[in-house]
Amino acid sequence: MFGFIRPLKSELKVREWERFQSVYCGLCHTIRSRYGIAQTLLLSYDCTYLALVLDSTSAGCETCRRRCITHPFRRRTCAHESDGIRHAAAVSVILNWHKLQDTIDDEKGWKRLGAKLLRLLLRRGYRKAQRDNPEFDRAAAEQLRTLSRIQDEQTASLDIPADTFAGLLRAAVPQEREDARILGEMFYHTGRWIYLIDACDDLADDFASGSYNPVRLRFSLTQPDLTPWKQGLNHTLLQSLAASYHAYILLDRKKDGGIIENILCQGLPEVTRQVLNGTFDQNGGKNRHGSI
């Protein structure tokens, strides 16, 4: 989906990494069974994180052993379908659909054609996810239209577009939950971090293509060099992660705290460091995770 959310694997316990893998596999199987196998092509760790957080307030970690097309010869531990996994599956499908529309609107040539063809392939699954979660689909479409208008106006602000995108991730939280306000704050600040880190990571490409980039406009950059502004950007990015963590600790957590805290306090700060230092692509970049 976005490609920035990941744990720092070297700091996870073995059982925590296995649990993370099992939720990823459970989410993949849920997407395949509910929305079609083609939808799993766009699965990343981002919605695995959403599923982990949503399910962290319930007890129990039921698993099974299953095969799949990617791993046909050896059964892998797979988390049973849960409310959090089902919700994250619909969110993944809806976000990927709207992201493809954004590519169609912004790109030209083969990228645009590829996005159109992929949307045709994914249409049926998206329609089902839209029926399963119409509130989020409407919110996602509205927020992305607002973001498109901000981009068309070449708004020279970090906060205005980041706030709009953050509102999109806030809307991904099931509003019927008692802890929806806490989760909304958590994912709002995570969304703000994602938008800003993506703008930093895309700076060189946006310079080359002339695409909208709030970092370039905000600092009136004449070349894709963040060195003079690196300290300030690092501060605002880590502040967003700190705000997300402060919301997280208010949850009535029953499991997976070690994994979630690893992602928030180690994985995402490490991604921040790599992007600002220009080493993110050398460590896999946004395309690092597909099937695990």
Side-chain angles (χ1 to χ4, degrees):
M1 184 174 55
F2 307 115
F4 292 103
I5 294 181
R6 63 191 58 170
L8 188 59
K9 183 180 176 182
S10 62
E11 295 298 325
L12 283 175
K13 297 176 181 177
V14 173
R15 61 177 172 80
E16 290 174 334
W17 175 242
E18 291 175 349
R19 166 64 177 164
F20 185 80
Q21 286 183 301
S22 75
V23 174
Y24 181 95
C25 290
L27 181 57
C28 185
H29 280 286
T30 298
I31 291 174
R32 185 179 67 177
S33 64
R34 296 173 73 88
Y35 306 116
I37 192 169
Q39 299 285 350
T40 62
L41 296 172
L42 301 178
L43 177 62
S44 71
Y45 293 170
D46 302 18
C47 278
T48 306
Y49 176 65
L50 175 62
L52 276 167
V53 173
L54 294 180
D55 281 341
S56 67
T57 59
S58 61
C61 302
E62 294 186 16
T63 60
C64 57
R65 301 280 292 177
R66 301 180 68 173
R67 292 188 180 94
C68 66
I69 291 176
T70 308
H71 305 99
F73 303 113
R74 184 168 64 90
R75 294 180 185 272
R76 293 169 66 87
T77 303
C78 177
H80 272 301
E81 190 172 304
S82 62
D83 289 342
I85 287 177
R86 281 191 293 272
H87 184 82
V91 167
S92 177
V93 171
I94 290 169
L95 280 175
N96 284 324
W97 175 267
H98 289 294
K99 187 174 185 294
L100 286 171
Q101 182 59 56
D102 186 58
T103 300
I104 292 169
D105 293 339
D106 293 345
E107 299 291 345
K108 298 178 182 178
W110 289 107
K111 284 187 177 181
R112 189 168 187 266
L113 178 61
K116 283 187 172 183
L117 293 174
L118 189 54
R119 265 174 60 104
L120 288 175
L121 182 65
L122 302 180
R123 183 185 298 276
R124 185 175 180 181
Y126 162 69
R127 295 300 185 198
K128 189 172 188 305
Q130 184 185 41
R131 292 193 296 272
D132 289 344
N133 200 335
E135 296 84 3
F136 176 64
D137 181 66
R138 286 193 295 269
E142 180 180 351
Q143 292 296 98
L144 289 172
R145 279 195 298 270
T146 302
L147 192 58
S148 180
R149 176 180 54 79
I150 291 169
Q151 293 172 349
D152 290 342
E153 294 172 353
Q154 295 289 296
T155 303
S157 168
L158 297 181
D159 290 332
I160 293 174
D163 173 74
T164 302
F165 186 83
L168 169 63
L169 283 213
R170 174 184 275 160
V173 171
Q175 297 305 304
E176 69 275 8
R177 289 182 55 134
E178 292 183 1
D179 54 6
R181 183 176 178 183
I182 296 172
L183 288 166
E185 283 299 297
M186 182 180 177
F187 281 96
Y188 172 89
H189 291 290
T190 302
R192 185 178 187 276
W193 176 85
I194 288 173
Y195 185 84
L196 294 177
I197 202 70
D198 185 55
C200 293
D201 186 54
D202 285 347
L203 186 61
D205 290 341
D206 290 340
F207 256 94
S209 65
S211 299
Y212 173 77
N213 188 297
V215 174
R216 176 176 65 86
L217 295 174
R218 170 61 181 82
F219 299 115
S220 301
L221 299 180
T222 57
Q223 57 182 338
D225 181 13
L226 289 174
T227 302
W229 312 102
K230 189 181 298 183
Q231 185 174 353
L233 285 166
N234 183 66
H235 177 76
T236 193
L237 287 162
L238 294 185
Q239 283 292 99
S240 289
L241 295 180
S244 184
Y245 178 76
H246 290 153
Y248 163 72
I249 61 177
L250 298 176
L251 290 174
D252 182 19
R253 309 177 303 282
K254 293 183 172 64
K255 64 173 182 285
D256 296 331
I259 306 172
I260 296 168
E261 290 173 20
N262 172 284
I263 292 171
L264 269 177
C265 302
Q266 295 176 288
L268 302 191
E270 176 62 13
V271 169
T272 302
R273 185 190 68 80
Q274 290 174 4
V275 169
L276 295 181
N277 288 343
T279 61
F280 185 59
D281 287 342
Q282 299 169 25
N283 288 277
K286 285 184 281 191
N287 298 318
R288 170 179 169 180
H289 45 275
S291 181
I292 57 176

